Amino acid sequence: TWTVWTHEGKPVRLRIEQAETTDAVSLKARPGFAWLDTAGRFCIVASRGSLVIHRIGAEGKNMTDAASFVRGHPAVIGAVLS
């Protein structure tokens, strides 16, 4: 599936290749909000619960594990994806 992250004023399409659902929700539970859970996993708030992202990549880039993506793009945490 695809989502869009606005980074430095420009839309960046992100492809989520592997994810799972969880009942956990960030305190800032707005759908699309990107956050790290207590285990340090990259999550995105959904309409019910959240998605725990396992593999993700920016359009035109190689897919990577979520931890590596967040290390390379720390500004994604706290962003609202659409």
Side-chain angles (χ1 to χ4, degrees):
T1 189
W2 292 90
T3 189
V4 177
W5 168 38
T6 302
H7 180 59
E8 297 178 350
K10 297 179 182 175
V12 178
R13 285 182 51 158
L14 302 176
R15 180 175 168 217
I16 299 170
E17 183 176 75
Q18 186 179 22
E20 66 180 288
T21 59
T22 179
D23 291 331
V25 179
S26 167
L27 294 177
K28 297 181 180 180
R30 177 178 175 193
F33 182 75
W35 60 292
L36 296 176
D37 70 5
T38 56
R41 300 179 303 176
F42 177 34
C43 300
I44 301 171
V45 175
S47 57
R48 292 187 191 143
S50 294
L51 289 176
V52 178
I53 308 303
H54 296 292
R55 292 193 52 77
I56 189 168
E59 185 173 28
K61 305 288 183 181
N62 291 331
M63 299 301 291
T64 187
D65 63 277
S68 295
F69 183 84
V70 170
R71 276 194 300 277
H73 304 89
V76 74
I77 301 303
V80 177
L81 309 180
S82 58

